[in-house]
Amino acid sequence: NDVEAAVQTVWDNSGLWPNALVINRKVFRNLRNCAQIVDRAKAQNFMDVRPGAINEQQLAVVFDLEQVIVAGTPENTANEGAALSLSPIWSDEYAMVCRIAQTNDVREHCIGRTFHWGEDGSDIGGMVETYRDETKRSDIVRVRNDVDEKVLYVEAGHLLSNITT
C-alpha cells in the first residue's frame, strides 16, 4: 500500500509514472516475507512464492514497476586503521519510488543522472593504471573514475521513511 501511494504521489507531483523502487538488501529480504507481497505474487501465477525464490524481477511485477534496485554493497565506516565496521550504503529505514532514466538522452525526465568527465583519461567504469614507484618500493594502482551525481527533477521521486521500524 505504501509503494502504491508513493507511485501516485510521484504521478501527482510530476506527471511521470515512476518505474523503479530502490531499497537495500535487508528491506528486500523483509518484503519477500510480507504476506501482502506473497499474496500478490501468487495472484501473478508465479510458480514458486517461497521467500527465497522471489527475486527482484518478480517483486517489480508485484509492484507494477519496471525495476526493483537492491543496494547490497556495504561500506566500511570505521576510521583508517580501526577494526572493520560495515554499514549498508542505503539505509534500511528508507525506500524510494522514482522515475529513472531509460536512455542516454539528457532531455529525458528522470530523478537524476550520473555525469562522467573523461577529459583526464577517465573511462566509464574507471580507468585502472599501475606503475612502479621505486621511492616507495611499491607498485601503485590508481583508478580514475571522474563522475558526479546530480538530482535533476526531485518531483520524480518519493522517499518513504521509517519502513523497517
Side-chain angles (χ1 to χ4, degrees):
N1 292 338
D2 293 334
V3 171
E4 186 57 35
V7 165
Q8 191 62 51
T9 298
V10 172
W11 167 254
D12 292 344
N13 291 340
S14 68
L16 300 171
W17 287 111
N19 58 1
L21 171 67
V22 183
I23 54 177
N24 80 0
R25 180 69 53 189
K26 181 178 178 182
V27 172
F28 171 72
R29 295 178 67 81
N30 288 344
L31 284 173
R32 296 184 313 173
N33 289 302
C34 175
Q36 189 176 16
I37 300 293
V38 172
D39 288 345
R40 287 186 177 194
K42 286 178 184 175
Q44 297 294 329
N45 293 321
F46 292 147
M47 296 299 289
D48 190 352
V49 294
R50 290 175 297 158
I54 297 175
N55 60 32
E56 291 93 336
Q57 293 82 16
Q58 291 169 325
L59 203 54
V61 169
V62 166
F63 288 128
D64 191 23
L65 296 168
E66 293 174 22
Q67 290 185 53
V68 170
I69 300 167
V70 179
T73 304
E75 66 178 329
N76 184 3
T77 58
N79 292 329
E80 189 172 337
L84 180 70
S85 177
L86 295 177
S87 295
I89 292 173
W90 187 268
S91 170
D92 56 355
E93 289 301 319
Y94 295 98
M96 183 170 57
V97 174
C98 58
R99 176 74 188 188
I100 61 171
Q102 299 296 302
T103 69
N104 288 331
D105 184 351
V106 295
R107 295 171 294 179
E108 178 186 4
H109 294 292
C110 60
I111 191 159
R113 292 213 177 248
T114 300
F115 294 96
H116 174 255
W117 181 69
E119 197 65 29
D120 191 33
S122 172
D123 284 336
I124 294 175
M127 165 61 104
V128 179
E129 302 171 321
T130 59
Y131 60 92
R132 180 82 181 160
D133 185 349
E134 286 301 331
T135 61
K136 296 180 182 178
R137 295 188 302 195
S138 299
D139 290 325
I140 307 296
V141 177
R142 176 173 61 183
V143 178
R144 287 191 273 169
N145 187 26
D146 298 316
V147 296
D148 192 20
E149 295 79 23
K150 178 75 175 161
V151 175
L152 299 173
Y153 193 27
V154 71
E155 292 84 3
H158 182 75
L159 191 64
L160 299 163
S161 59
N162 295 323
I163 60 170
T164 302
T165 56

